[in-house]
Amino acid sequence: MIDDLLPRPRAVVALGGTVHWRSPLTISGPARFDDEIETFARDLEVAVDWRVTRVPRGGDLRVVEDATFGPEAYRLVVDEAATLTVGDGAGLACALTTLRQLGPASWWSVTRASAPSVEVPRARISDAPRFAWRGVHLDVARHFFDVEVVCRLIDLLAAHRLSHLHLHLNDDQGWRIALRAWPLLTEVGAWRTSTPVGHAEDGRDDGVPYGGYYREADVARLVDHARRRHVTVVPEIDLPGHAQAVLAAYPALANVAEPLSVATRWGISPHVLAPTPAALDFVTEVVGAVADLFPDSPIHIGGDECPTDEWVDAHVTAGVGDAADPRQIQGLFSARAIAAARARGREVLAWDEAMEASLDPSTVVVAWRDVGRAVAAARGGYDVVLAAQQHLYLDWANSADPGEPVAITRPPLCTTWEDVYGVAAILEELDESFGPRVRGAQAQLWTEYIADRDHLDYMAFPRLAAFAEVVWGTTGPLEEFRPRLVSHLARLDAAGVTYRPVTGGPRREDP
Ligand code: TNX
């Protein structure tokens, strides 16, 4: 429909009346857009069993290339025929997403709903995103999500015109990507013996072995799927802290002699990589290997929450730095990771702590601790992605209601979808002060307390829908957004998303 587009496009003019469509839909356009057209055809087939067929010219849908359009920009005119004018494939993907929203909610179905014919409102829409980095982060280390679930999440991101999926591939509690040269990372590091039950502070464990990882073929599937959706997957290897699973697999890289196992409790392990040539080489090799599995992706090198206690007394081998300032040792690891990614022509991102030890100025800082860190990064000359936990951590409870499912925060600490929508004001201010240094923002799904797909949906939506409009850059008053969000839920229902209710309390049964 026309009143509930989400994210709201930059300019929408209703032309009055509707066009009548039924299967098969015909479509014409340059061959370079074959992939996007095929994806759209598959979407309508899955949703309502329609056919979309290519015709040499004319047709119900006409794709027109216009090189003056910027990245991801599009114009969509629905008249007797629909004309989609774009400069690139990403623009066409965005235009088709909006077109799907102009149709009925059943066009979002994943179960072949019935839609014999459809009335699409006549309209003229001109649109382009304000921010290029419209990111969502998923922690697959604390809990593992298989390729199927991640591909579905990518579909949902694309449907909201979100652009990046940042995958947190390792942590103290698990290593999740198979690398040929380091088989024990997954043979040992992908498995833990137990997982906390309820909130970590309650101190209960399930005693059930848990694990999983992506094989090379899984990664290839994921990368291909994301490419078709114009979503960029950003792999993160988080080192030198959050390394206990690595140290369980390769004890020679540790500072301590006693054997370590993959962590079974949440929180930050004190065990980090040793400041040795072997550990530095390890970082070079794994970052390079991961980058090779994700061709064209920017690489996130982690760098958060790295305790330096083990480094204070460490005997620092010649050539790896000055032990008098243990924090600077982190800079040596960052430099290796950055060099490995740069050697492959990739852009590099790091969590904001990495700025505290010398950090290459070309690194994009993902500011998670607070908005102040985003300001500091931009002032320091870094490009930044805003990820401030107080606003954009979707592992925080959805509301202050004590009936919310167990989350990392305890009531009343929470982040409502209204809070997320409010990030627009912060982003606006950052954008005004620092302009292009502000790449955009990212919503984080840390998964200590998210163990399965349904609960992932519950924590992600509707907050990601609000976030999508924030980063697209077309937010308005909350009162205008609320009914649009409520009406958007019909699409999420059709897509089988088990979102948290928009109004009222949490869903009572265990989500
Ligand atoms: C902080 S954000 C972390 C994660 C936790 C998260 C929980 C960041 C870079 N580190 O390891 O999962 O808080 O909200």
Side-chain angles (χ1 to χ4, degrees), residues 142 171 242 304-305 351 368 393 395-396 408 446 448:
R142 272 55 174 270
D171 215 298
H242 290 279
D304 61 312
E305 299 177 329
W351 296 115
W368 75 272
Y393 268 31
D395 58 333
W396 288 30
I408 196 147
W446 295 102
E448 288 96 330

Side-chain angles (χ1 to χ4, degrees), residues 18 27 29 131 183 305 347 351 374-375 456 492 497 500:
T18 57
I27 185 164
F131 297 100
E305 299 177 329
E347 176 147 72
W351 296 115
V375 171
L456 187 66
L492 297 181
V497 176
R500 186 205 181 271

Side-chain angles (χ1 to χ4, degrees), residues 137 139 142 168 171 236 238 242 267-268 300 303-305 351-353 366 368-369 387 389 393 395-396 408 444 446-448:
H137 152 289
D139 168 13
R142 272 55 174 270
H168 183 75
D171 215 298
E236 175 192 355
D238 193 4
H242 290 279
I268 307 166
H300 194 301
D304 61 312
E305 299 177 329
W351 296 115
D352 59 64
E353 288 99 321
V366 183
W368 75 272
R369 283 179 295 177
Q389 55 178 336
Y393 268 31
D395 58 333
W396 288 30
I408 196 147
Q444 275 55 230
W446 295 102
T447 58
E448 288 96 330

Side-chain angles (χ1 to χ4, degrees), residues 134-434:
R134 306 184 300 280
V136 173
H137 152 289
L138 176 65
D139 168 13
V140 294
R142 272 55 174 270
H143 281 102
F144 180 64
F145 295 87
D146 64 25
V147 176
E148 219 60 61
V149 173
V150 180
C151 286
R152 173 181 174 274
L153 182 64
I154 288 170
D155 293 346
L156 289 167
L157 261 51
H160 291 83
R161 302 203 291 280
L162 293 162
S163 62
H164 289 75
L165 176 65
H166 166 179
L167 274 188
H168 183 75
L169 287 167
N170 73 292
D171 215 298
D172 296 314
Q173 297 82 9
W175 180 282
R176 305 282 175 232
I177 182 166
L179 300 179
R180 285 179 195 195
W182 302 88
L184 300 182
L185 287 174
T186 41
E187 277 170 38
V188 174
W191 309 97
R192 62 177 180 252
T193 54
S194 179
T195 299
V197 180
H199 201 281
E201 287 168 11
D202 304 341
R204 283 182 297 133
D205 303 289
D206 67 5
V208 180
Y210 182 90
Y213 61 88
Y214 304 117
R215 297 159 302 153
E216 269 186 24
D218 296 325
V219 175
R221 240 185 91 201
L222 222 148
V223 167
D224 181 60
H225 189 87
R227 186 185 52 76
R228 287 173 183 282
R229 288 291 186 195
H230 290 278
V231 169
T232 303
V233 180
V234 183
E236 175 192 355
I237 293 300
D238 193 4
L239 294 171
H242 290 279
Q244 197 170 315
V246 172
L247 304 178
Y250 292 101
L253 303 177
N255 291 289
V256 292
E258 86 248 21
L260 297 167
S261 39
V262 178
T264 57
R265 313 303 315 271
W266 310 136
I268 307 166
S269 168
H271 301 300
V272 303
L273 291 183
T276 58
L280 288 163
D281 289 346
F282 172 79
V283 168
T284 300
E285 288 174 31
V286 296
V287 170
V290 168
D292 289 341
L293 292 174
F294 289 88
D296 311 326
S297 280
I299 305 296
H300 194 301
I301 62 164
D304 61 312
E305 299 177 329
C306 182
T308 55
D309 307 352
E310 287 187 341
W311 288 340
V312 173
D313 306 319
H315 169 75
V316 180
T317 323
V320 294
D322 174 8
D325 183 2
R327 175 56 62 205
Q328 291 310 318
I329 291 174
Q330 183 167 349
L332 302 176
F333 283 104
S334 302
R336 287 296 200 94
I338 292 170
R342 285 271 172 227
R344 291 162 175 80
R346 310 305 176 80
E347 176 147 72
V348 181
L349 298 95
W351 296 115
D352 59 64
E353 288 99 321
M355 279 190 296
E356 287 158 20
S358 60
L359 180 69
D360 188 283
S362 70
T363 312
V364 179
V365 170
V366 183
W368 75 272
R369 283 179 295 177
D370 51 38
V371 177
R373 258 60 180 230
V375 171
R379 285 217 175 104
Y382 296 98
D383 280 8
V384 322
V385 171
L386 179 69
Q389 55 178 336
Q390 300 81 358
H391 312 277
L392 291 172
Y393 268 31
L394 305 189
D395 58 333
W396 288 30
N398 272 282
S399 80
D401 190 316
E404 289 291 353
V406 178
I408 196 147
T409 52
R410 302 277 208 176
L413 199 56
C414 64
T415 298
T416 63
W417 65 260
E418 290 95 331
D419 294 333
V420 172
Y421 202 64
V423 171
I426 301 171
L427 209 48
E428 174 85 46
E429 216 173 287
L430 284 174
D431 195 27
E432 267 167 27
S433 310
F434 302 107

